[in-house]
Amino acid sequence: MATLNPFDADLVEADWSREDAAVDVDGAEPMQTESETLTRPPEDVKEIEAGVQSLELGSKGKMKEMLHVEEPEPEEENEENKKRHLNVVFIGHVDAGKSTTGGQILFLSGQVDDRTIQKYETEAKDKNRESWYMAYIMDTNEEERVKGKTVEVGRAHFETENTRFTILDAPGHKSYVPNMISGASQADIGVLVISARKGEFETGYEKGGQTKEHVLIANTLGVAKLVVVINKMDDPTVNWDKSRYDEIESKITPFLKTSGYNVKKDVHFLPISGLVGSNIKDRLDKKVCSWWDGPGLFEVLDRIEVPLRDPNGPVRMPIIDKYKDMGTTVMGKIEYGTIKKGDSLLVMPNKANVKVLSIYCDEKEVRQAGPAENVRVKLSGIEEEDVLSGFVLSSISNPVAAVSEFHAKLQIFDLLDNAIFTAGYVAVLHIHSVVEECEIVELIEEIDTKRRKDDDPKKKNPKRKPLFVKIGAVVVCRIQVNNLICIENFSYFPQLGRFTLRTEGKTVAIGKVVKIPNPGNSTF
């Protein structure tokens, strides 16, 4: 749309010509009297003011139209947002090839150019680690590159035809399981990377390996769909051998079932090579592997259906990090509801009223963001030092519960040597982004998992409260923490009602919140 320039030559000429006409004295005109001279200037002033006003109106109109011309940006943003967004966490035992596979995905999706890859190849050769160069895309700090171990949760973005993905590259080493929990708590889909190399699968899967623990944690934290990629199929000890692939699938399937996954509906198996990129973007060439007729990794990820969350529900965004930048900015994943620019919200549990100044998603400023989006939200009304990891950004009308005790249904997975699980047991609680020491103050009931579901509950004899339970038991108990934490009943908000208990670097139990104190109360 063409706009009028308020300083257009014709417009200026017209305005000034009116002014000149008002003050010009033509020789043919009769002489003005003194009274006329005294009364004329106000009319001249009015006419000049009218001309100036028209100029101002013209310039304001131009400014509005200039602003209007710049408006299409949010529309482009809306076009982009038509693609669904999913968070994918890469989990598995150390050295399974998680970072290498993540780096290969970014390369194949065009997020990394050839020149950068060549630079990483040279760097890896200088360290005598030629096969690590793809991992350098995800492992960005020097400690990770020297040791070949991921420490922090790496984050990157890529897109397929229908979906925008955020990759969360979780560390596999047992020393960094808390960081892995942080990554898994933000994910919608898990990619379990398993090495097919002789000896490596067995090391990761058997006692002491991280494969089982990662699967349990992922399921507990709400990773509903799992893609199991059998990696390193191109290794000389495997050479795309179908029997090795079948062996690994048959060994891990029973464990996935006991972990809570419906293998037929929620789990996909496929062979890949993260190092050379086989079966990731494109389907496998029959010359490479004659027996695989299934889809590649991109195809599987694009087809996965995950349960939709309510964009119109109460806002729940666990805060995973914060920093100061002309105000307080918090980072996290929106679990429920929609956050809009200008919204008034609560930071819980300290009940601080805040206003949303701006929202950033994938480094771009957006007007609003909904469930499953990883965002940075700039807030006013709170200082950066008053926000902690584990706090929750919440609706004012329906705030998240802030409690210091709750009832939970626990499954005892593992215990330290000679330990028994009883009242007084102390562990570290991991629930969404909260990490807090807790104590089991009461065992309420042990659940008999072998009892038939069709038994008449009226005939059930009331049991005495158990004094202790063993590994494998399912028990309802009361748990206390020292500080207020933000949690929800699992039945209503699953993402804020799942948790793990860890002791001395081991995951000892997984659980669900089944009862919280009444609104306004922190204890029962």
Side-chain angles (χ1 to χ4, degrees), residues 17 31 81 129 144 155 214-215 220 226 244 290 293-294 326 338 350 369 413 452 457 464:
S17 65
M31 290 289 290
N81 287 341
R129 295 288 186 269
E144 291 178 323
R155 187 186 295 270
H214 279 207
V215 170
T220 305
L226 200 64
R244 178 62 170 167
S290 59
D293 293 318
M326 303 291 287
T338 300
N350 52 359
F413 174 57
R452 282 167 39 186
R464 286 190 303 173

Side-chain angles (χ1 to χ4, degrees), residues 118-285:
Q118 287 168 7
K119 175 190 161 191
Y120 290 154
E121 257 186 296
T122 305
E123 194 177 327
K125 279 180 183 175
D126 291 344
K127 292 183 169 80
N128 294 319
R129 295 288 186 269
E130 287 88 344
S131 63
W132 289 5
Y133 71 96
M134 275 291 174
Y136 284 9
I137 299 170
M138 295 301 299
D139 293 340
T140 52
N141 75 47
E142 194 58 31
E143 181 193 352
E144 291 178 323
R145 291 183 177 183
V146 169
K147 293 182 179 178
K149 291 187 178 90
T150 304
V151 176
E152 300 292 337
V153 176
R155 187 186 295 270
H157 310 279
F158 76 100
E159 292 188 19
T160 57
E161 191 177 344
N162 304 312
T163 313
R164 293 183 298 118
F165 289 100
T166 297
I167 294 177
L168 302 162
D169 179 27
H173 196 276
K174 63 183 178 182
S175 301
Y176 308 117
V177 169
N179 292 353
M180 177 267 163
I181 291 172
S182 168
S185 69
Q186 302 167 55
D188 305 294
I189 302 171
V191 175
L192 176 62
V193 184
I194 292 175
S195 172
R197 184 180 285 161
K198 295 287 183 186
E200 285 193 0
F201 163 67
E202 289 74 13
T203 303
Y205 186 67
E206 288 163 11
K207 194 166 184 180
Q210 297 308 116
T211 304
K212 287 183 175 180
E213 185 176 13
H214 279 207
V215 170
L216 270 170
I217 291 170
N219 184 262
T220 305
L221 293 172
V223 179
K225 305 286 181 177
L226 200 64
V227 180
V228 182
V229 294
I230 315 296
N231 189 26
K232 304 188 184 181
M233 289 295 291
D234 60 324
D235 189 81
T237 64
V238 184
N239 201 23
W240 297 97
D241 181 16
K242 187 175 187 301
S243 63
R244 178 62 170 167
Y245 175 85
D246 290 340
E247 177 195 355
I248 293 171
E249 184 176 347
S250 64
K251 280 186 177 178
I252 201 166
T253 297
F255 175 71
L256 294 175
K257 287 179 180 176
T258 59
S259 300
Y261 283 104
N262 183 327
V263 175
K264 288 184 180 178
K265 289 183 180 178
D266 300 331
V267 180
H268 301 265
F269 286 88
L270 67 154
I272 67 162
S273 168
L275 184 62
V276 298
S278 300
N279 208 34
I280 293 181
K281 184 179 181 182
D282 300 316
R283 290 193 172 204
L284 266 175
D285 191 333

Side-chain angles (χ1 to χ4, degrees), residues 35-168:
S35 63
E36 283 176 323
T37 309
L38 290 170
T39 55
R40 187 69 179 268
E43 292 172 11
D44 294 344
V45 170
K46 284 179 184 177
E47 288 181 3
I48 292 169
E49 283 176 347
V52 171
Q53 194 173 7
S54 70
L55 282 170
E56 286 176 350
L57 288 170
S59 60
K60 282 178 185 173
K62 184 192 175 189
M63 287 302 290
K64 282 181 183 176
E65 288 181 355
M66 281 170 69
L67 288 170
H68 181 70
V69 169
E70 293 174 2
E71 289 277 324
E73 193 175 342
E75 288 174 23
E76 287 174 17
E77 199 173 85
N78 291 339
E79 286 292 319
E80 236 178 65
N81 287 341
K82 283 182 181 176
K83 283 189 177 184
R84 65 174 183 163
H85 176 262
L86 293 176
N87 299 288
V88 186
V89 66
F90 280 72
I91 58 175
H93 189 65
V94 65
D95 290 336
K98 298 181 294 297
S99 298
T100 296
T101 303
Q104 187 67 254
I105 286 171
L106 295 179
F107 175 60
L108 293 173
S109 59
Q111 306 300 311
V112 183
D113 57 25
D114 289 325
R115 191 172 175 182
T116 306
I117 293 294
Q118 287 168 7
K119 175 190 161 191
Y120 290 154
E121 257 186 296
T122 305
E123 194 177 327
K125 279 180 183 175
D126 291 344
K127 292 183 169 80
N128 294 319
R129 295 288 186 269
E130 287 88 344
S131 63
W132 289 5
Y133 71 96
M134 275 291 174
Y136 284 9
I137 299 170
M138 295 301 299
D139 293 340
T140 52
N141 75 47
E142 194 58 31
E143 181 193 352
E144 291 178 323
R145 291 183 177 183
V146 169
K147 293 182 179 178
K149 291 187 178 90
T150 304
V151 176
E152 300 292 337
V153 176
R155 187 186 295 270
H157 310 279
F158 76 100
E159 292 188 19
T160 57
E161 191 177 344
N162 304 312
T163 313
R164 293 183 298 118
F165 289 100
T166 297
I167 294 177
L168 302 162

Side-chain angles (χ1 to χ4, degrees), residues 401-421:
V403 303
S404 59
E405 69 174 6
F406 58 95
H407 288 183
K409 185 178 178 180
L410 279 182
Q411 181 176 354
I412 312 302
F413 174 57
D414 197 1
L415 292 171
L416 298 176
D417 295 339
N418 302 320
I420 58 169
F421 195 85

